[in-house]
Amino acid sequence: MKQVEIKALIKEVDFEELNELDRRLVEAAKEATRRAYAPFSKYNVGAALLLDNGRIVEGSNQENAAYPSGLCAERTAAFFASSSNPGVAFKKIAIAAWVDPGVDKDWEEGFQKNPVSPCGGCRQALLEYEHLYGDIEVMLYGRDKTYILPSIKSLLPLAFTDF
Ligand code: THU
């Protein structure tokens, strides 16, 4: 028998440790949470993609009364980016999640403490673009810490890619 080990290198950083561009991307993801339509879950997610042409494209989760008809923030951002900038590589994605902290609280306090992590469906959708254009760095924002991963495939080992 042979054993195969799967490893992922995750950098844990404070927001202050990020360079200016990365901060801008995380801020864009945080701002995008304001544009979520999440009346059912009240979980407002924002995603910001940095494209190879320097543009930042944002998306937020869009829910629907017929629940499965809604879409996550990451796929909203990815599909919008690819539709509006066809053929342009995605270099990085930042993701943030905001839950209403209550009226007497600051907006910043609404962000999830732990890094928000994309669902399996979004990992698979993003992997497709990574296959086309090369690695997409992933920044998962949390109030306490931000995780940085080198690629989508590091979030989705043994992914379905051959067909
Ligand atoms: N959601 C996202 O937008 N991205 C994720 O990574 C996880 C979940 C959305 C889907 C749904 O609108 C709400 O968050 C609760 O699951």
Side-chain angles (χ1 to χ4, degrees):
M1 191 195 64
K2 206 173 142 186
Q3 283 185 315
V4 179
E5 196 180 347
I6 295 168
K7 285 187 183 167
L9 181 72
I10 303 175
K11 285 187 209 157
E12 186 183 309
V13 298
D14 290 329
F15 181 78
E16 292 67 37
E17 291 178 72
L18 298 175
N19 66 30
E20 205 191 310
L21 181 63
D22 288 352
R23 281 186 197 203
R24 262 216 293 146
L25 200 64
V26 169
E27 290 295 359
K30 289 171 72 178
E31 278 298 319
T33 66
R34 296 186 194 268
R35 297 185 289 276
Y37 174 66
F40 304 105
S41 71
K42 315 243 187 283
Y43 189 69
N44 301 271
V45 186
L49 277 162
L50 174 68
L51 307 191
D52 206 17
N53 59 13
R55 288 190 190 150
I56 290 178
V57 174
E58 292 134 27
S60 53
N61 54 328
Q62 301 295 315
E63 297 186 348
N64 191 276
Y67 288 7
S69 301
L71 196 63
C72 294
E74 297 87 331
R75 264 178 286 175
T76 305
F79 295 162
F80 179 44
S82 185
S83 313
S84 49
N85 298 261
V88 180
F90 300 173
K91 303 305 283 179
K92 295 173 188 243
I93 186 167
I95 308 163
W98 187 88
V99 182
D100 195 341
V103 279
D104 55 334
K105 296 276 183 2
D106 187 69
W107 182 70
E108 290 285 343
E109 289 184 62
F111 287 96
Q112 188 172 289
K113 268 176 181 283
N114 290 315
V116 51
S117 201
C119 78
C122 287
R123 293 175 198 208
Q124 183 71 39
L126 287 163
L127 188 73
E128 186 98 10
Y129 298 104
E130 183 164 282
H131 257 261
L132 288 172
Y133 307 126
D135 285 356
I136 303 168
E137 190 179 80
V138 183
M139 284 188 280
L140 308 176
Y141 176 75
R143 238 184 326 133
D144 283 356
K145 58 190 174 222
T146 294
Y147 283 163
I148 302 181
L149 291 101
S151 60
I152 301 294
K153 62 179 175 286
S154 61
L155 273 170
L156 193 61
L158 296 182
F160 172 67
T161 52
D162 303 316
F163 53 88

